[in-house]
Every structure is written in structure tokens, then in C-alpha cells.
């Protein structure tokens, strides 16, 4: 499927150990993994009996800043519905069993008043449920499509939504079966939530530019 994965994706456990996105080491020896901090915040919200879009807004800001230095504006109702949808799906197979539903969710995120394209939309979905939604970004997408004439994520709304659904399918296939002689993450005992990190790091190993 991909020459990048075949060449740079050997030994998936080692590839994942090299992943250091927003893991910060300070001079006093303290190490902070900001992704894990956000996950802990979301877990605490999930334990509540009830939450609102307003409750989710602070963690949305944390998710956005984890990805880029940007401000987004999403309606509380859209944010809450997205959170509830993510909590109700178990994995990528569940998501793909109703493509119309995921299309509607992603389209509403992309229709935000400010600041959301498909990479950011997928990041929000991922933090709300990492077991079902991989992050799509330049590196991860290119790791899969490097041998194709176009390996750039489309930015038109409908094209981007269709691209993301296809990306979930590709990620699921790679997670389950690996790539032409490369062991799969599933075989290595790594859950689906690691697939985008693996793809990202494969492209980084290839020394490709953003």
C-alpha cells in the first residue's frame, strides 16, 4: 500500500516510542504529555451524569491549542452533539457502519463559525474517542498515499468529509493487517488509538517536510 510504511514502519513498537508530539521536557526534569492531560480532563467529564456544550468549551480550547495556535468557534449544541455521538460509538467499525451519521457530524464541525478544517475536526473527534477516530494530518495522510499522484488532503468541505471516511477505512486496514510484510499494530498489541501516531512517525522518519 505504501512505500513509506514498508521502509520506515518496520518494528511498530519502536516507531511509536519515537513519537514525541507535544511531550515537553522542562529544565527541572519535569515531563508533560499534554495529550494525556487532555485525555484525563475528558475522562473526568465523561464520569459526570450530565454535561453541556458550555462544560466542553474549555477542553475544546485545550484540544485546539494541542494542535495549533488558533481560536475556533463552535456552537455549544454542535459541540455537545459531537461529544455524545463519540461516546456512543465503540470503534472504527461502528463509525463506518453508518457513514451518513459521521458525515453529518463532521460537516457540522466544518461549518463552525471560525477555525475548523478537516485536520482539526478529526482531532476533536479523536480526543473525544481515540478508539474510533484517527487524526488526519499532512504526515499521516501522506504516509498512506505517498505513492499516489496526489497525496494532499482535499480542503473542500464535501471532498474533505469523504476523504476522512476513506482515511478511517485505510487506517483500520493498516491497523488490522499491516502493510506488505510489516507487522500490524493489532498484532503488536497496540490499540487503534495509536494508528495516527504510527503513520505520523513513519512520515517523520522519512524526513518529509510539512
Amino acid at each position: 500500500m505504501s512505500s513509506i510504511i514498508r521502509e520506515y514502519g518496520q518494528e511498530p513498537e519502536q516507531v511509536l516510542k519515537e513519537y514525541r508530539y507535544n511531550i515537553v521536557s522542562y529544565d527541572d526534569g519535569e515531563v508533560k504529555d499534554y495529550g494525556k492531560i487532555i485525555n484525563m480532563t475528558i475522562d473526568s467529564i465523561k464520569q459526570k451524569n450530565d454535561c453541556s456544550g458550555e462544560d466542553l468549551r474549555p477542553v475544546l480550547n485545550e484540544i485546539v491549542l494541542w494542535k495549533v495556535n488558533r481560536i475556533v468557534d463552535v456552537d455549544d449544541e454542535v459541540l455537545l452533539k459531537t461529544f455524545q455521538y463519540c461516546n456512543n460509538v465503540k470503534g472504527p467499525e461502528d463509525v463506518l457502519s453508518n457513514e451518513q451519521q459521521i458525515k453529518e457530524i463532521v460537516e457540522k464541525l466544518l461549518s463552525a463559525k471560525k477555525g475548523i478544517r478537516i485536520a482539526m475536526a478529526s482531532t476533536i473527534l479523536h480526543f473525544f474517542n481515540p478508539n474510533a477516530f484517527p487524526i488526519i494530518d499532512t504526515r499521516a495522510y501522506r504516509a498512506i498515499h505517498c505513492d499516489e499522484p496526489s497525496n494532499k488532503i482535499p480542503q473542500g468541505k464535501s471532498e474533505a468529509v469523504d476523504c476522512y471516511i476513506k482515511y478511517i477505512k485505510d487506517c483500520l486496514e493498516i491497523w488490522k493487517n499491516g502493510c506488505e510484510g510489516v507487522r500490524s499494530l493489532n498484532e503488536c498489541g497496540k490499540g487503534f488509538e495509536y494508528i495516527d501516531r504510527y503513520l505520523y512517525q513513519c512520515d517523520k522518519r522519512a524526513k518529509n517536510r510539512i
Side-chain angles (χ1 to χ4, degrees):
M1 178 183 290
S2 163
S3 59
I4 285 180
I5 297 175
R6 289 196 304 272
E7 185 171 355
Y8 299 100
Q10 301 289 337
E11 301 179 4
E13 297 102 328
Q14 181 58 40
V15 175
L16 288 171
K17 285 180 181 178
E18 296 170 8
Y19 179 85
R20 303 288 297 173
Y21 193 89
N22 272 343
I23 300 175
V24 181
S25 299
Y26 294 92
D27 292 339
D28 61 1
E30 183 181 14
V31 178
K32 285 190 176 182
D33 183 336
Y34 284 96
K36 286 186 177 180
I37 292 171
I38 296 171
N39 288 333
M40 290 172 64
T41 303
I42 293 173
D43 286 342
S44 67
I45 294 174
K46 289 180 179 179
Q47 291 173 9
K48 295 181 179 179
N49 293 328
D50 192 16
C51 73
S52 66
E54 186 176 355
D55 296 328
L56 293 167
R57 188 158 296 282
V59 76
L60 172 65
N61 293 334
E62 291 179 24
I63 292 169
V64 172
L65 289 173
W66 178 86
K67 187 69 175 172
V68 292
N69 185 14
R70 183 188 301 169
I71 295 174
V72 303
D73 189 357
V74 182
D75 289 338
D76 285 349
E77 183 180 355
V78 171
L79 188 57
L80 180 59
K81 286 184 177 179
T82 301
F83 183 72
Q84 291 171 336
Y85 166 75
C86 291
N87 280 341
N88 288 327
V89 293
K90 297 179 180 179
E93 296 96 336
D94 199 10
V95 173
L96 295 172
S97 69
N98 191 340
E99 292 188 13
Q100 185 57 38
Q101 191 173 21
I102 182 57
K103 281 185 178 182
E104 291 173 0
I105 292 293
V106 176
E107 284 173 356
K108 286 180 180 178
L109 286 174
L110 294 179
S111 298
K113 297 174 185 176
K114 183 178 180 180
I116 293 187
R117 291 190 175 182
I118 192 63
M120 181 58 67
S122 71
T123 302
I124 294 168
L125 293 169
H126 175 81
F127 273 102
F128 284 173
N129 189 341
N131 297 312
F133 300 101
I135 296 173
I136 185 172
D137 61 18
T138 298
R139 286 195 181 280
Y141 187 78
R142 182 169 51 200
I144 296 176
H145 297 281
C146 61
D147 301 322
E148 299 176 13
S150 175
N151 53 34
K152 295 183 179 180
I153 303 168
Q155 294 302 319
K157 185 187 293 185
S158 61
E159 293 86 355
V161 173
D162 290 340
C163 175
Y164 183 57
I165 292 173
K166 174 66 165 53
Y167 176 75
I168 296 175
K169 293 176 181 177
D170 290 338
C171 285
L172 181 59
E173 172 65 21
I174 293 168
W175 175 75
K176 278 185 175 180
N177 300 315
C179 179
E180 298 179 30
V182 178
R183 285 197 305 158
S184 70
L185 296 184
N186 186 36
E187 185 181 358
C188 296
K190 297 294 184 181
F192 185 73
E193 67 268 26
Y194 290 98
I195 184 63
D196 51 59
R197 301 183 195 183
Y198 171 72
L199 296 171
Y200 176 97
Q201 196 62 36
C202 284
D203 186 75
K204 196 170 183 180
R205 277 183 156 200
K207 298 186 179 352
N208 288 319
R209 294 182 179 182
I210 296 294

